């Protein structure tokens, strides 16, 4: 029932703090990259969806940091779409360095219209959760 996709990310210098560690806030940027690429890998196009008035917003996100990532590390991000309902998507993110778990996160993404009102996702989006 779930769909997964992996991308590699190299930690850039400007993403680190004074100690050379990946700043905690930048993990969330990586998770957004993972969601976008997962959607793209399944034939989705955020731009077209937004032009039709379907916007995806983060309703909830949480992250458990396990190991620090450092400047120039090459990380693998696995993004998994765990559940799709009429108006929301639930994702899991697993970030690895050389097979070791760096962070694990979960998010709930809601579908809204341009005024911010919750709406049903397009039928094509709802079907994503039923394909593997």
């Amino acid at each position: 029932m779930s769909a997964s996709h992996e991308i590699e990310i190299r930690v850039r210098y400007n993403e680190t703090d004074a100690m050379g560690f990946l700043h905690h806030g930048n993990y969330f940027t990586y998770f957004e990259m993972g969601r976008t690429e997962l959607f793209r890998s399944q034939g989705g196009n955020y731009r077209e969806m937004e032009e039709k008035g379907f916007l995806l917003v983060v309703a909830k996100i949480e992250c458990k940091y396990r190991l620090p990532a450092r400047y120039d590390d090459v990380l693998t991000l696995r993004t998994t779409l765990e559940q799709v309902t009429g108006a929301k998507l639930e994702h899991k993110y697993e970030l690895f360095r050389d097979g070791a778990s760096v962070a694990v996160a979960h998010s709930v993404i809601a579908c809204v219209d341009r005024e911010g009102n919750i709406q049903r996702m397009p039928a094509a989006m709802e079907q994503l959760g039923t394909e593997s």
Side-chain angles (χ1 to χ4, degrees), residues 11-108:
V11 178
R12 296 170 291 203
Y13 185 80
N14 67 317
E15 296 170 332
T16 62
D17 60 22
M19 297 177 290
F21 296 128
L22 176 61
H23 186 273
H24 67 275
N26 288 317
Y27 287 76
F28 296 97
T29 299
Y30 290 177
F31 302 152
E32 185 169 346
M33 291 167 53
R35 277 194 313 274
T36 301
E37 293 307 317
L38 171 60
F39 187 46
R40 182 174 285 127
S41 75
Q42 295 184 313
N45 183 310
Y46 271 116
R47 180 178 292 182
E48 289 177 6
M49 191 174 70
E50 289 180 352
E51 287 171 353
K52 293 176 183 174
F54 297 95
L55 309 174
L56 298 179
V57 297
V58 175
K60 177 182 175 182
I61 192 163
E62 58 189 15
C63 180
K64 179 173 174 114
Y65 303 96
R66 295 190 167 158
L67 295 172
R70 296 175 175 81
Y71 166 66
D72 212 36
D73 281 352
V74 176
L75 307 174
T76 300
L77 174 62
R78 179 183 308 128
T79 305
T80 304
L81 179 58
E82 293 193 312
Q83 184 173 4
V84 179
T85 61
K88 73 178 179 179
L89 306 169
E90 295 185 28
H91 292 89
K92 179 180 181 180
Y93 312 89
E94 299 168 285
L95 194 61
F96 301 97
R97 181 186 57 242
D98 298 324
S101 178
V102 172
V104 176
H106 293 88
S107 68
V108 175

